[in-house]
């Protein structure tokens, strides 16, 4: 014990230095990514391309390990995303057909106008034509075409919005289900910033892509293809400039599509790291102030932002190269088409009407193709975000439910070992057997493994070795709903969800009547303050509504436990945030309800241990002592020392 205490003291004495010593760490950004100072224009250009190459290598290296990371959450591969989106669209096949047809008719109507104007030019140039009569007829025809185009465009936009919103709703539900099924151990190993970024920024990016980019991509593709067809029908000769320059643009688009995914995935990862550092600083603000770590935390945030800026610059360079080629592909066809038209007209191959229609088509081709390229960029962002979201669904399930059901209520743990990191066990071969109705208190110093043992007994984690069984069935092989009917865990961590008081309590048993909700609140001494609220059980809680004190929030969590009514309860310092007098009274008022149930209570307050049938003293991941209060006092060991310190 003294050796452990000396070690803890030495670690605590040196802990500020583990934050402050940064000189031995490599810089966040290597010097090769910094622009040269005092270099010539040629040298700066060469250095620019060298930095772009280094950023490409960093992005590709990140993507290579992102699919199967050692820690944290993975990302899905592109084929998984395409299969996922394909499934969403297949389930809305009729709507997809409607979107395609409506946009095709809109494009056809719009493409008819340049051809009609070209015919008008030819008729005006011809001799013996009544120009007024021809013009009147064409104006009426153009009017009909434009009205038809407006109607079809409305139908296309409406059906596209309906498709996008439907796909988005199903995709969000899928992501929420994936998040909720994540094993808690994997969630705890992943950084908070990563998970928060995925369910906020990445969901937003996916939302924009689904609602706008997918419909726009369909519209742009159809319009571009039909415009090329109309140009070829008008004059294949005048279509050649567009086709040639379009082919050159496609080469750059393919290069962009090949390199952009790694860039956008890296950007998303840097945003996660920024959020992680910010969250850690905010949550540990008291520690930061106590140890004077403000400069260190500011430097860490600055490093994260600088890394993110490099990732952003890589994506920005890719977009600049893409849009530079696109601008060239858009501008040159106008000049080349006009020159070829003039030459063809001089040779008698083309009419003025064909040249007019071709120039109008070239102008009309610009807008949808520009939108299509911009949409492809937006889709790349959406696909990168979706790969991060679907990566959540690729995390293996934490449990494999079987069909066997418990034959009794006895809870037994054998040879329990658990490690948060490989080769670093925090529990070392614990054996523990509880009889139905027994109350066991687990005590010990902080960091001894009490909460980890409670999580294993509550079925939250599977042991690395050994087994935890209830009624002869492994806890991790029980379906989650069946498990919670057998064993429930209430920790010192709690959460108040956005909703009414009633909604927060009946989470434990949906549909429970108000009488049972009130009884549960009375049992935990919460009904007095709940009944005094302006709307009682209907009072809204959570973000933007009434904020509960930590003690009130913990009482709500305990009321959920009472309503769930399992036969085995694991209380992990469940009253830690309530003052000692209230906690003592609360535990006394719960005593009648807990009678006949197996109770495992993990607490620092030893009066809980005094009331227990047996007490397990956990030291360094092992049960050092096990017995009743009187037996352990008589043994004059670890528990006796703790009791004397508590009562002195």
């Amino acid at each position: 014990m003294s050796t452990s205490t000396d070690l803890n003291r030495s670690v605590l004495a040196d802990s500020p230095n583990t934050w402050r010593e940064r000189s031995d760490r490599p810089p966040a950004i290597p010097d090769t990514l910094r622009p040269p100072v005092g270099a010539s224009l040629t040298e700066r250009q060469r250095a620019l391309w060298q930095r772009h190459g280094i950023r490409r290598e960093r992005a590709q290296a990140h993507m290579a390990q992102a699919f199967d990371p050692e820690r944290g959450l993975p990302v899905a591969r592109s084929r998984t995303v395409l299969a996922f989106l394909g499934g969403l669209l297949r389930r809305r096949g009729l709507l997809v057909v409607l979107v395609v047809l409506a946009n095709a008719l809109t494009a056809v109507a719009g493409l008819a106008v340049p051809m009609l104007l070209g015919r008008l030019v030819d008729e005006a140039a011809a001799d013996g034509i009544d120009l007024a009569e021809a013009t009147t007829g064409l104006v009426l025809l153009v009017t009909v075409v434009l009205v038809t185009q407006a109607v079809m465009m409305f139908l296309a936009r409406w059906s596209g919005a309906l498709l996008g919103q439907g796909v988005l709703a199903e995709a969000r539900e899928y992501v929420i289900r994936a998040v909720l099924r994540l094993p808690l151990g994997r969630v705890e190993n992943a950084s908070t910033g990563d998970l928060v970024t995925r369910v906020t920024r990445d969901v937003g990016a996916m939302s924009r892509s689904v609602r706008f980019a997918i419909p726009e991509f369909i519209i742009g593709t159809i319009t571009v293809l039909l415009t090329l067809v109309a140009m070829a029908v008008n004059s294949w000769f005048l279509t050649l400039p567009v086709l040639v320059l379009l082919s050159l643009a496609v080469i750059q688009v393919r290069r962009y599509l090949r390199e952009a995914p790694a860039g956008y995935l890296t950007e998303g990862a840097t945003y996660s790291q920024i959020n992680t550092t910010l969250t850690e600083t905010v949550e540990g603000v008291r520690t930061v102030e106590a140890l004077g770590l403000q400069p260190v935390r500011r430097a860490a945030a600055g490093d994260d932002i600088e890394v993110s800026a490099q990732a952003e610059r890589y994506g920005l360079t890719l977009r600049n190269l893409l849009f530079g080629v696109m601008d060239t592909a858009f501008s040159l066809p106008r000049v080349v088409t006009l020159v070829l038209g003039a030459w063809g007209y001089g040779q008698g191959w083309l009419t003025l009407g064909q040249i007019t229609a071709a120039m109008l088509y070239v102008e009309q081709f610009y807008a949808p193709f520009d939108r299509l390229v911009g949409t492809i960029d937006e889709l790349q962002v959406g696909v990168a975000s979706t790969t991060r979201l679907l990566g959540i669904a690729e995390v293996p399930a934490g449990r494999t439910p079987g069909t066997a059901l418990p034959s009794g209520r006895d809870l037994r743990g054998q040879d329990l070992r658990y490690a948060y990191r490989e080769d670093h066990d925090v529990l070392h071969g614990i054996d523990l057997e509880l009889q139905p109705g027994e109350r066991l208190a687990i005590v010990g110093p902080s960091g001894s493994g009490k909460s980890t043992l409670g999580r294993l007994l509550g079925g939250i984690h599977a042991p690395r070795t050994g087994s935890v069984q209830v009624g002869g069935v492994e806890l991790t092989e029980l379906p989650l709903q069946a498990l919670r009917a057998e064993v429930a865990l209430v920790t010192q961590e709690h959460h108040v969800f956005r909703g009414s008081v009633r909604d927060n309590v009946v989470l434990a048993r949906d549909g429970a009547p108000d009488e049972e909700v009130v009884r549960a609140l009375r049992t935990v001494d919460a009904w007095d303050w709940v009944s005094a609220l302006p709307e009682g059980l209907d009072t809204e809680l959570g973000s933007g509504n009434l904020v509960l004190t930590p003690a009130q929030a913990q009482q709500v969590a305990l009321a959920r436990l009472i309503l769930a009514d399992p036969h085995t309860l694991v209380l992990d310092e469940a009253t830690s945030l309530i003052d000692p007098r209230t906690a003592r009274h609360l535990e006394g008022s719960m005593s009648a309800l807990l009678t006949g149930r197996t109770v495992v209570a993990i607490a620092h307050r030893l009066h809980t241990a005094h009331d227990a049938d047996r007490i397990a003293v956990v030291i360094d991941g092992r049960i050092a002592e096990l017995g009743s209060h009187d037996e352990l006092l008589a043994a004059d060991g670890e528990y006796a020392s703790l009791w004397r310190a508590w009562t002195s």
Side-chain angles (χ1 to χ4, degrees), residues 111-122 225-243 337-338 340-342 344 348-364:
L111 295 172
V113 174
M115 193 167 291
L116 292 174
L117 293 177
R119 185 188 302 175
L120 178 60
V121 170
D122 284 339
L225 292 177
L226 290 180
T227 302
L228 290 174
V229 171
M231 293 176 71
V233 171
N234 176 64
S235 171
W236 65 267
F237 181 68
L238 295 180
T239 310
L240 292 177
V242 174
L243 291 176
T337 300
L338 187 59
L340 289 180
W349 298 346
L350 301 170
T351 66
L352 289 177
Q354 287 177 305
I355 298 172
T356 302
M359 292 301 298
L360 291 174
Y361 280 135
V362 169
E363 291 296 326
Q364 194 165 319

Short mmCIF file of all heavy atoms in Angstrom, two decimals, residues 111-122 225-243 337-338 340-342 344 348-364:
data_model
loop_
_atom_site.label_atom_id
_atom_site.label_comp_id
_atom_site.label_asym_id
_atom_site.label_seq_id
_atom_site.Cartn_x
_atom_site.Cartn_y
_atom_site.Cartn_z
N LEU A 111 -34.14 23.63 -74.41
CA LEU A 111 -33.27 23.49 -75.58
C LEU A 111 -34.01 23.76 -76.89
O LEU A 111 -33.36 23.97 -77.92
CB LEU A 111 -32.67 22.07 -75.61
CG LEU A 111 -31.72 21.75 -74.45
CD1 LEU A 111 -31.36 20.27 -74.46
CD2 LEU A 111 -30.47 22.61 -74.53
N ALA A 112 -35.32 23.74 -76.83
CA ALA A 112 -36.08 24.01 -78.06
C ALA A 112 -36.00 25.48 -78.46
O ALA A 112 -36.09 25.82 -79.64
CB ALA A 112 -37.54 23.59 -77.88
N VAL A 113 -35.84 26.36 -77.48
CA VAL A 113 -35.86 27.80 -77.76
C VAL A 113 -34.71 28.22 -78.68
O VAL A 113 -34.93 28.92 -79.69
CB VAL A 113 -35.86 28.60 -76.45
CG1 VAL A 113 -35.75 30.10 -76.74
CG2 VAL A 113 -37.12 28.32 -75.65
N PRO A 114 -33.43 27.86 -78.41
CA PRO A 114 -32.36 28.27 -79.34
C PRO A 114 -32.58 27.76 -80.76
O PRO A 114 -32.28 28.48 -81.73
CB PRO A 114 -31.11 27.63 -78.71
CG PRO A 114 -31.42 27.51 -77.27
CD PRO A 114 -32.89 27.18 -77.22
N MET A 115 -33.10 26.53 -80.91
CA MET A 115 -33.33 26.00 -82.25
C MET A 115 -34.41 26.80 -82.97
O MET A 115 -34.31 27.09 -84.18
CB MET A 115 -33.71 24.53 -82.16
CG MET A 115 -33.67 23.80 -83.50
SD MET A 115 -33.74 22.01 -83.29
CE MET A 115 -32.14 21.70 -82.55
N LEU A 116 -35.47 27.20 -82.23
CA LEU A 116 -36.53 28.00 -82.83
C LEU A 116 -36.00 29.38 -83.23
O LEU A 116 -36.35 29.92 -84.29
CB LEU A 116 -37.70 28.15 -81.85
CG LEU A 116 -38.49 26.86 -81.55
CD1 LEU A 116 -39.52 27.12 -80.46
CD2 LEU A 116 -39.17 26.36 -82.82
N LEU A 117 -35.15 29.96 -82.41
CA LEU A 117 -34.57 31.26 -82.75
C LEU A 117 -33.64 31.15 -83.95
O LEU A 117 -33.58 32.06 -84.79
CB LEU A 117 -33.81 31.83 -81.54
CG LEU A 117 -34.67 32.22 -80.33
CD1 LEU A 117 -33.81 32.68 -79.17
CD2 LEU A 117 -35.67 33.32 -80.71
N GLY A 118 -32.91 30.03 -84.03
CA GLY A 118 -32.06 29.81 -85.21
C GLY A 118 -32.89 29.71 -86.47
O GLY A 118 -32.51 30.24 -87.53
N ARG A 119 -34.05 29.04 -86.41
CA ARG A 119 -34.94 28.95 -87.57
C ARG A 119 -35.45 30.33 -87.94
O ARG A 119 -35.57 30.67 -89.13
CB ARG A 119 -36.12 28.03 -87.25
CG ARG A 119 -37.04 27.79 -88.46
CD ARG A 119 -38.30 27.04 -88.05
NE ARG A 119 -37.97 25.76 -87.45
CZ ARG A 119 -38.90 24.95 -86.92
NH1 ARG A 119 -40.18 25.33 -86.91
NH2 ARG A 119 -38.53 23.79 -86.41
N LEU A 120 -35.76 31.17 -86.92
CA LEU A 120 -36.22 32.53 -87.20
C LEU A 120 -35.15 33.33 -87.95
O LEU A 120 -35.46 34.08 -88.90
CB LEU A 120 -36.58 33.23 -85.89
CG LEU A 120 -37.05 34.69 -86.00
CD1 LEU A 120 -38.30 34.80 -86.85
CD2 LEU A 120 -37.28 35.28 -84.61
N VAL A 121 -33.89 33.15 -87.55
CA VAL A 121 -32.80 33.85 -88.24
C VAL A 121 -32.71 33.41 -89.69
O VAL A 121 -32.56 34.22 -90.62
CB VAL A 121 -31.46 33.61 -87.51
CG1 VAL A 121 -30.29 34.14 -88.34
CG2 VAL A 121 -31.47 34.28 -86.14
N ASP A 122 -32.83 32.10 -89.95
CA ASP A 122 -32.77 31.60 -91.32
C ASP A 122 -33.92 32.12 -92.15
O ASP A 122 -33.76 32.49 -93.34
CB ASP A 122 -32.79 30.07 -91.32
CG ASP A 122 -31.44 29.49 -90.90
OD1 ASP A 122 -30.43 30.21 -91.02
OD2 ASP A 122 -31.41 28.32 -90.45
N LEU A 225 -26.16 16.57 -70.87
CA LEU A 225 -26.24 15.53 -71.90
C LEU A 225 -27.20 15.93 -73.02
O LEU A 225 -26.90 15.79 -74.21
CB LEU A 225 -26.66 14.20 -71.28
CG LEU A 225 -25.64 13.54 -70.35
CD1 LEU A 225 -26.21 12.28 -69.73
CD2 LEU A 225 -24.34 13.24 -71.10
N LEU A 226 -28.37 16.44 -72.64
CA LEU A 226 -29.35 16.83 -73.66
C LEU A 226 -28.89 18.04 -74.44
O LEU A 226 -29.21 18.18 -75.63
CB LEU A 226 -30.71 17.09 -73.01
CG LEU A 226 -31.44 15.84 -72.46
CD1 LEU A 226 -32.77 16.23 -71.84
CD2 LEU A 226 -31.65 14.81 -73.56
N THR A 227 -28.13 18.94 -73.80
CA THR A 227 -27.58 20.09 -74.53
C THR A 227 -26.60 19.63 -75.60
O THR A 227 -26.60 20.13 -76.74
CB THR A 227 -26.89 21.06 -73.56
OG1 THR A 227 -27.83 21.50 -72.58
CG2 THR A 227 -26.35 22.28 -74.31
N LEU A 228 -25.76 18.66 -75.27
CA LEU A 228 -24.82 18.11 -76.26
C LEU A 228 -25.58 17.45 -77.41
O LEU A 228 -25.19 17.58 -78.59
CB LEU A 228 -23.88 17.11 -75.59
CG LEU A 228 -22.84 17.70 -74.62
CD1 LEU A 228 -22.07 16.58 -73.93
CD2 LEU A 228 -21.88 18.63 -75.36
N VAL A 229 -26.66 16.74 -77.08
CA VAL A 229 -27.47 16.11 -78.14
C VAL A 229 -28.08 17.17 -79.05
O VAL A 229 -28.05 17.06 -80.29
CB VAL A 229 -28.57 15.23 -77.51
CG1 VAL A 229 -29.54 14.75 -78.59
CG2 VAL A 229 -27.95 14.05 -76.79
N ALA A 230 -28.63 18.25 -78.44
CA ALA A 230 -29.24 19.31 -79.23
C ALA A 230 -28.20 20.01 -80.11
O ALA A 230 -28.47 20.36 -81.27
CB ALA A 230 -29.92 20.32 -78.30
N MET A 231 -26.99 20.21 -79.58
CA MET A 231 -25.93 20.84 -80.37
C MET A 231 -25.56 19.95 -81.56
O MET A 231 -25.34 20.45 -82.67
CB MET A 231 -24.70 21.08 -79.49
CG MET A 231 -24.91 22.14 -78.40
SD MET A 231 -23.49 22.33 -77.31
CE MET A 231 -22.34 23.13 -78.43
N ALA A 232 -25.50 18.64 -81.33
CA ALA A 232 -25.17 17.73 -82.42
C ALA A 232 -26.26 17.70 -83.48
O ALA A 232 -25.98 17.64 -84.68
CB ALA A 232 -24.92 16.33 -81.87
N VAL A 233 -27.52 17.75 -83.05
CA VAL A 233 -28.64 17.79 -84.00
C VAL A 233 -28.58 19.08 -84.82
O VAL A 233 -28.83 19.08 -86.03
CB VAL A 233 -29.98 17.68 -83.26
CG1 VAL A 233 -31.15 17.96 -84.20
CG2 VAL A 233 -30.12 16.30 -82.63
N ASN A 234 -28.25 20.18 -84.17
CA ASN A 234 -28.16 21.46 -84.87
C ASN A 234 -27.00 21.45 -85.86
O ASN A 234 -27.17 21.81 -87.03
CB ASN A 234 -27.97 22.58 -83.85
CG ASN A 234 -27.77 23.94 -84.50
OD1 ASN A 234 -28.66 24.46 -85.17
ND2 ASN A 234 -26.57 24.50 -84.32
N SER A 235 -25.78 21.02 -85.39
CA SER A 235 -24.61 20.94 -86.27
C SER A 235 -23.51 20.17 -85.55
O SER A 235 -22.97 20.67 -84.55
CB SER A 235 -24.11 22.34 -86.66
OG SER A 235 -22.86 22.25 -87.33
N TRP A 236 -23.18 18.99 -86.06
CA TRP A 236 -22.13 18.21 -85.41
C TRP A 236 -20.78 18.91 -85.51
O TRP A 236 -19.93 18.79 -84.64
CB TRP A 236 -22.02 16.82 -86.03
CG TRP A 236 -21.57 16.83 -87.48
CD1 TRP A 236 -22.35 16.84 -88.59
CD2 TRP A 236 -20.21 16.86 -87.93
NE1 TRP A 236 -21.58 16.87 -89.73
CE2 TRP A 236 -20.25 16.88 -89.35
CE3 TRP A 236 -18.96 16.85 -87.31
CZ2 TRP A 236 -19.10 16.89 -90.13
CZ3 TRP A 236 -17.82 16.87 -88.10
CH2 TRP A 236 -17.89 16.88 -89.48
N PHE A 237 -20.60 19.71 -86.59
CA PHE A 237 -19.34 20.40 -86.81
C PHE A 237 -19.09 21.44 -85.71
O PHE A 237 -17.99 21.55 -85.17
CB PHE A 237 -19.35 21.05 -88.19
CG PHE A 237 -18.08 21.78 -88.52
CD1 PHE A 237 -16.89 21.09 -88.73
CD2 PHE A 237 -18.07 23.17 -88.64
CE1 PHE A 237 -15.72 21.77 -89.04
CE2 PHE A 237 -16.89 23.84 -88.94
CZ PHE A 237 -15.72 23.13 -89.15
N LEU A 238 -20.15 22.19 -85.35
CA LEU A 238 -20.02 23.22 -84.33
C LEU A 238 -20.02 22.64 -82.91
O LEU A 238 -19.78 23.37 -81.94
CB LEU A 238 -21.14 24.25 -84.47
CG LEU A 238 -21.12 25.07 -85.77
CD1 LEU A 238 -22.28 26.05 -85.80
CD2 LEU A 238 -19.79 25.82 -85.90
N THR A 239 -20.27 21.35 -82.78
CA THR A 239 -20.22 20.69 -81.47
C THR A 239 -18.79 20.27 -81.12
O THR A 239 -18.47 20.07 -79.95
CB THR A 239 -21.14 19.45 -81.46
OG1 THR A 239 -22.43 19.82 -81.94
CG2 THR A 239 -21.29 18.88 -80.06
N LEU A 240 -17.92 20.17 -82.14
CA LEU A 240 -16.57 19.66 -81.91
C LEU A 240 -15.77 20.48 -80.88
O LEU A 240 -15.10 19.90 -80.02
CB LEU A 240 -15.81 19.59 -83.23
CG LEU A 240 -16.31 18.54 -84.24
CD1 LEU A 240 -15.51 18.62 -85.53
CD2 LEU A 240 -16.22 17.14 -83.63
N PRO A 241 -15.78 21.83 -80.91
CA PRO A 241 -15.01 22.58 -79.91
C PRO A 241 -15.41 22.25 -78.48
O PRO A 241 -14.56 22.10 -77.60
CB PRO A 241 -15.30 24.05 -80.27
CG PRO A 241 -15.69 24.02 -81.70
CD PRO A 241 -16.42 22.73 -81.90
N VAL A 242 -16.72 22.14 -78.27
CA VAL A 242 -17.20 21.83 -76.91
C VAL A 242 -16.74 20.44 -76.49
O VAL A 242 -16.28 20.23 -75.37
CB VAL A 242 -18.73 21.96 -76.85
CG1 VAL A 242 -19.25 21.51 -75.49
CG2 VAL A 242 -19.14 23.40 -77.12
N LEU A 243 -16.86 19.46 -77.41
CA LEU A 243 -16.49 18.09 -77.07
C LEU A 243 -15.00 17.96 -76.77
O LEU A 243 -14.60 17.27 -75.83
CB LEU A 243 -16.87 17.15 -78.21
CG LEU A 243 -18.38 16.93 -78.43
CD1 LEU A 243 -18.62 16.05 -79.65
CD2 LEU A 243 -19.00 16.31 -77.19
N THR A 337 -16.05 28.25 -81.50
CA THR A 337 -17.31 27.98 -82.21
C THR A 337 -17.64 29.10 -83.18
O THR A 337 -18.08 28.86 -84.32
CB THR A 337 -18.46 27.80 -81.19
OG1 THR A 337 -18.14 26.71 -80.33
CG2 THR A 337 -19.78 27.51 -81.91
N LEU A 338 -17.42 30.35 -82.76
CA LEU A 338 -17.72 31.48 -83.64
C LEU A 338 -16.79 31.48 -84.85
O LEU A 338 -17.23 31.72 -86.00
CB LEU A 338 -17.58 32.78 -82.85
CG LEU A 338 -18.01 34.06 -83.59
CD1 LEU A 338 -19.48 33.97 -84.00
CD2 LEU A 338 -17.77 35.28 -82.71
N LEU A 340 -15.17 28.83 -86.21
CA LEU A 340 -15.54 27.71 -87.08
C LEU A 340 -16.86 27.99 -87.80
O LEU A 340 -17.04 27.62 -88.97
CB LEU A 340 -15.65 26.42 -86.26
CG LEU A 340 -14.34 25.82 -85.74
CD1 LEU A 340 -14.63 24.55 -84.95
CD2 LEU A 340 -13.38 25.52 -86.89
N GLY A 341 -17.79 28.65 -87.12
CA GLY A 341 -19.06 28.99 -87.74
C GLY A 341 -18.88 29.94 -88.91
O GLY A 341 -19.51 29.76 -89.97
N ALA A 342 -18.04 30.96 -88.69
CA ALA A 342 -17.78 31.91 -89.78
C ALA A 342 -17.13 31.21 -90.98
O ALA A 342 -17.49 31.46 -92.14
CB ALA A 342 -16.90 33.04 -89.27
N GLY A 344 -17.31 27.96 -91.71
CA GLY A 344 -18.29 27.05 -92.31
C GLY A 344 -19.34 27.79 -93.11
O GLY A 344 -19.80 27.31 -94.15
N GLY A 348 -20.23 27.57 -97.11
CA GLY A 348 -21.58 27.15 -97.47
C GLY A 348 -22.06 25.91 -96.75
O GLY A 348 -23.07 25.32 -97.13
N TRP A 349 -21.32 25.52 -95.68
CA TRP A 349 -21.73 24.32 -94.94
C TRP A 349 -22.79 24.65 -93.88
O TRP A 349 -23.54 23.77 -93.49
CB TRP A 349 -20.52 23.71 -94.22
CG TRP A 349 -19.42 23.26 -95.13
CD1 TRP A 349 -19.50 23.10 -96.48
CD2 TRP A 349 -18.09 22.94 -94.74
NE1 TRP A 349 -18.31 22.67 -96.98
CE2 TRP A 349 -17.39 22.56 -95.92
CE3 TRP A 349 -17.40 22.91 -93.53
CZ2 TRP A 349 -16.06 22.17 -95.91
CZ3 TRP A 349 -16.08 22.52 -93.53
CH2 TRP A 349 -15.41 22.16 -94.71
N LEU A 350 -22.78 25.88 -93.42
CA LEU A 350 -23.63 26.25 -92.29
C LEU A 350 -24.50 27.45 -92.66
O LEU A 350 -24.13 28.25 -93.52
CB LEU A 350 -22.78 26.60 -91.07
CG LEU A 350 -21.83 25.51 -90.54
CD1 LEU A 350 -20.90 26.10 -89.49
CD2 LEU A 350 -22.63 24.35 -89.96
N THR A 351 -25.63 27.54 -91.98
CA THR A 351 -26.49 28.71 -92.13
C THR A 351 -26.30 29.63 -90.93
O THR A 351 -25.77 29.22 -89.89
CB THR A 351 -27.97 28.30 -92.22
OG1 THR A 351 -28.36 27.72 -90.96
CG2 THR A 351 -28.17 27.28 -93.33
N LEU A 352 -26.77 30.87 -91.09
CA LEU A 352 -26.70 31.80 -89.96
C LEU A 352 -27.52 31.30 -88.78
O LEU A 352 -27.16 31.50 -87.61
CB LEU A 352 -27.19 33.18 -90.40
CG LEU A 352 -26.27 33.95 -91.35
CD1 LEU A 352 -26.93 35.26 -91.76
CD2 LEU A 352 -24.92 34.22 -90.70
N GLY A 353 -28.65 30.63 -89.09
CA GLY A 353 -29.49 30.09 -88.02
C GLY A 353 -28.76 29.03 -87.22
O GLY A 353 -28.87 28.96 -85.99
N GLN A 354 -28.00 28.16 -87.88
CA GLN A 354 -27.24 27.13 -87.17
C GLN A 354 -26.15 27.75 -86.29
O GLN A 354 -25.93 27.31 -85.16
CB GLN A 354 -26.60 26.17 -88.17
CG GLN A 354 -27.59 25.22 -88.85
CD GLN A 354 -26.90 24.34 -89.87
OE1 GLN A 354 -26.23 24.85 -90.79
NE2 GLN A 354 -27.06 23.03 -89.73
N ILE A 355 -25.50 28.78 -86.81
CA ILE A 355 -24.46 29.45 -86.02
C ILE A 355 -25.07 30.13 -84.80
O ILE A 355 -24.55 30.05 -83.68
CB ILE A 355 -23.71 30.48 -86.89
CG1 ILE A 355 -23.01 29.77 -88.05
CG2 ILE A 355 -22.70 31.26 -86.06
CD1 ILE A 355 -22.40 30.71 -89.07
N THR A 356 -26.23 30.80 -85.02
CA THR A 356 -26.92 31.46 -83.90
C THR A 356 -27.32 30.45 -82.83
O THR A 356 -27.09 30.65 -81.62
CB THR A 356 -28.16 32.19 -84.41
OG1 THR A 356 -27.78 33.15 -85.40
CG2 THR A 356 -28.88 32.90 -83.27
N ALA A 357 -27.94 29.34 -83.28
CA ALA A 357 -28.36 28.31 -82.33
C ALA A 357 -27.15 27.72 -81.60
O ALA A 357 -27.20 27.48 -80.38
CB ALA A 357 -29.13 27.21 -83.06
N ALA A 358 -26.04 27.49 -82.33
CA ALA A 358 -24.85 26.91 -81.70
C ALA A 358 -24.29 27.84 -80.62
O ALA A 358 -23.91 27.39 -79.53
CB ALA A 358 -23.80 26.63 -82.76
N MET A 359 -24.23 29.15 -80.91
CA MET A 359 -23.72 30.09 -79.92
C MET A 359 -24.64 30.16 -78.69
O MET A 359 -24.17 30.24 -77.55
CB MET A 359 -23.57 31.48 -80.54
CG MET A 359 -22.48 31.58 -81.60
SD MET A 359 -20.85 31.13 -80.95
CE MET A 359 -20.62 32.39 -79.69
N LEU A 360 -25.95 30.10 -78.93
CA LEU A 360 -26.89 30.09 -77.80
C LEU A 360 -26.72 28.82 -76.97
O LEU A 360 -26.79 28.85 -75.73
CB LEU A 360 -28.32 30.21 -78.31
CG LEU A 360 -28.70 31.57 -78.91
CD1 LEU A 360 -30.10 31.51 -79.51
CD2 LEU A 360 -28.63 32.67 -77.84
N TYR A 361 -26.49 27.68 -77.64
CA TYR A 361 -26.29 26.43 -76.91
C TYR A 361 -24.99 26.47 -76.09
O TYR A 361 -24.94 25.94 -74.97
CB TYR A 361 -26.25 25.25 -77.88
CG TYR A 361 -27.62 24.80 -78.33
CD1 TYR A 361 -27.87 24.51 -79.67
CD2 TYR A 361 -28.65 24.64 -77.41
CE1 TYR A 361 -29.13 24.09 -80.09
CE2 TYR A 361 -29.90 24.22 -77.82
CZ TYR A 361 -30.14 23.94 -79.15
OH TYR A 361 -31.37 23.52 -79.56
N VAL A 362 -23.95 27.07 -76.68
CA VAL A 362 -22.70 27.18 -75.93
C VAL A 362 -22.91 28.00 -74.65
O VAL A 362 -22.44 27.63 -73.57
CB VAL A 362 -21.59 27.81 -76.80
CG1 VAL A 362 -20.38 28.17 -75.94
CG2 VAL A 362 -21.18 26.86 -77.91
N GLU A 363 -23.63 29.11 -74.78
CA GLU A 363 -23.93 29.93 -73.60
C GLU A 363 -24.82 29.17 -72.62
O GLU A 363 -24.64 29.25 -71.40
CB GLU A 363 -24.61 31.24 -74.03
CG GLU A 363 -23.71 32.19 -74.78
CD GLU A 363 -22.56 32.68 -73.92
OE1 GLU A 363 -22.74 32.84 -72.70
OE2 GLU A 363 -21.46 32.88 -74.47
N GLN A 364 -25.78 28.44 -73.18
CA GLN A 364 -26.71 27.70 -72.33
C GLN A 364 -26.02 26.50 -71.66
O GLN A 364 -26.41 26.06 -70.59
CB GLN A 364 -27.89 27.21 -73.16
CG GLN A 364 -29.08 26.72 -72.34
CD GLN A 364 -30.33 26.60 -73.20
OE1 GLN A 364 -30.61 27.46 -74.04
NE2 GLN A 364 -31.08 25.55 -72.98
#
